[in-house]
């Protein structure tokens, strides 16, 4: 399957993507995680992306699209993928359509996670991420690590993301509404959008997402 995951910052895209990718046996491709890996490795791409991320803005399309394309061309993504954080505006969505069309491929679904704004703010404020691997995500209240400040999965140090400061979060939400939400209508016109309520326990949301992707009526 080829799936795009969309939802506001803090909606739980990364959290759900980890379970959905495992259930569906497809790689989880997060452009945010790819940028953060480049930042921690000190690459030129990471240096370029950091200023945009810290300000809550989108990294320019040409850089982002090239990075996403390169990742989608890796051998593990040939049988499908779960995209998290890409595309993030209509021009990225059009670029993705072109890429897929060139390979005679198409998307199967766009999974839209719906979460009220006051809840995403709480989720972001309490999020803690592993320094070794930014897909290892915790929450001080909702998903606390066994030992404070230490990643359960690999023992890495947990920290608060630079772009999780309150003023940056406000900017990220504004960017989501103005630039990312329009892709939902773009994909709705292609009949691809499945919207689920992403409130409740993580495993309940995963079950709802799996039902929606299977096309169950009750989803
Ligand atoms: P990115 O890393 O993609 O951030 P985001 O979209 O803002 O999403 P988040 O990572 O903040 O949240 P999430 O939805 O994954 O939530 P999570 O699962 O962590 O992008 C960061 C930046 O990179 C962008 O601002 C931009 O600058 C740049 N960028 C990335 N892609 C780009 C692109 N395509 N183009 C241009 N620029 C790009 O969950 C949040 C918290 O809630 C966690 O603590 C978790 O434990 C908790 N939680 C999750 N689910 C639940 C639940 N059901 N109940 C209670 N708590 C929960």
């Amino acid at each position: 399957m080829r799936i795009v995951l969309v939802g506001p910052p803090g909606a739980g895209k990364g959290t759900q993507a980890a379970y959905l990718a495992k259930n569906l046996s497809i790689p989880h491709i997060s452009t945010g995680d790819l940028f953060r890996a480049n930042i921690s490795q000190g690459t030129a791409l990471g240096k370029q992306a950091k200023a945009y991320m810290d300000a809550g803005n989108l990294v320019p399309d040409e850089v982002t699209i090239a990075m996403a394309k390169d990742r989608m061309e890796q051998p593990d993504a040939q049988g499908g993928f779960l995209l998290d954080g890409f595309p993030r505006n209509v021009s990225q969505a059009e670029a993705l359509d072109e890429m897929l069309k060139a390979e005679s491929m198409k998307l199967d679904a766009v999974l839209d996670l719906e979460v009220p704004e006051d809840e995403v703010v709480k989720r972001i404020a309490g999020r803690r991420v592993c320094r070794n691997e930014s897909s290892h995500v915790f929450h001080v209240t909702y998903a606390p690590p066994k030992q404070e400040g230490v990643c359960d999965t690999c023992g890495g140090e947990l920290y608060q993301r630079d772009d999780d400061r309150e003023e940056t979060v406000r900017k990220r939400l504004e960017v989501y509404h103005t630039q990312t939400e329009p892709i939902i209508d773009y994909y709705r016109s292609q009949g691809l959008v499945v919207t689920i309520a992403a409130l409740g326990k993580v495993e309940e949301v995963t079950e709802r997402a799996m039902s929606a992707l299977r096309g169950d009526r009750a989803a």
Side-chain angles (χ1 to χ4, degrees):
M1 284 187 102
R2 290 180 187 84
I3 301 169
V4 167
L5 203 49
V6 68
K13 299 181 297 295
T15 302
Q16 289 305 321
Y19 293 102
L20 295 174
K22 199 169 168 200
N23 285 349
L24 298 165
S25 303
I26 49 177
H28 166 204
I29 299 179
S30 156
T31 40
D33 285 348
L34 290 172
F35 284 132
R36 281 184 288 276
N38 273 279
I39 291 170
S40 64
Q41 288 155 18
T43 68
L45 173 63
K47 284 181 187 134
Q48 193 181 355
K50 190 170 183 344
Y52 293 98
M53 292 172 77
D54 285 353
N57 287 316
L58 297 187
V59 179
D61 283 349
E62 52 180 31
V63 175
T64 306
I65 292 167
M67 178 183 75
K69 183 170 187 285
D70 180 63
R71 178 62 189 89
M72 281 184 273
E73 285 171 354
Q74 299 301 311
D76 67 330
Q78 296 313 299
F81 46 70
L82 178 59
L83 295 178
D84 162 10
F86 181 87
R88 225 174 174 99
N89 58 28
V90 172
S91 26
Q92 291 182 13
E94 288 168 348
L96 176 61
D97 274 353
E98 287 298 313
M99 276 180 235
L100 293 172
K101 201 169 148 198
E103 301 294 328
S104 307
M105 293 172 181
K106 57 186 183 52
L107 290 175
D108 293 292
V110 174
L111 184 64
D112 167 31
L113 300 186
E114 224 173 41
V115 186
E117 200 137 306
D118 57 344
E119 175 66 13
V120 300
V121 169
K122 280 187 214 158
R123 289 186 184 181
I124 291 176
R127 171 167 47 196
R128 298 294 180 269
V129 182
C130 177
R131 276 213 193 274
N132 292 344
E133 170 54 66
S134 73
S135 64
H136 299 166
V137 177
F138 299 83
H139 189 281
V140 291
T141 313
Y142 301 139
K146 291 194 185 85
Q147 190 185 338
E148 199 188 323
V150 180
C151 175
D152 287 356
T153 316
C154 71
E157 182 201 352
L158 299 181
Y159 77 107
Q160 185 160 31
R161 269 171 44 178
D162 290 343
D163 61 346
D164 280 353
R165 286 183 317 238
E166 196 185 328
E167 65 277 17
T168 314
V169 170
R170 254 185 268 123
K171 176 68 183 172
R172 285 163 60 201
L173 283 165
E174 180 201 316
V175 167
Y176 176 75
H177 293 310
T178 55
Q179 300 193 45
T180 307
E181 264 179 354
I183 72 169
I184 300 176
D185 279 338
Y186 174 87
Y187 284 127
R188 196 167 277 133
S189 69
Q190 299 180 19
L192 289 171
V193 177
V194 196
T195 300
I196 63 157
L199 277 177
K201 290 186 181 153
V202 170
E203 54 274 25
E204 290 168 359
V205 179
T206 308
E207 189 40 54
R208 229 172 277 150
M210 288 300 293
S211 296
L213 292 172
R214 285 192 301 261
D216 296 353
R217 274 168 177 278

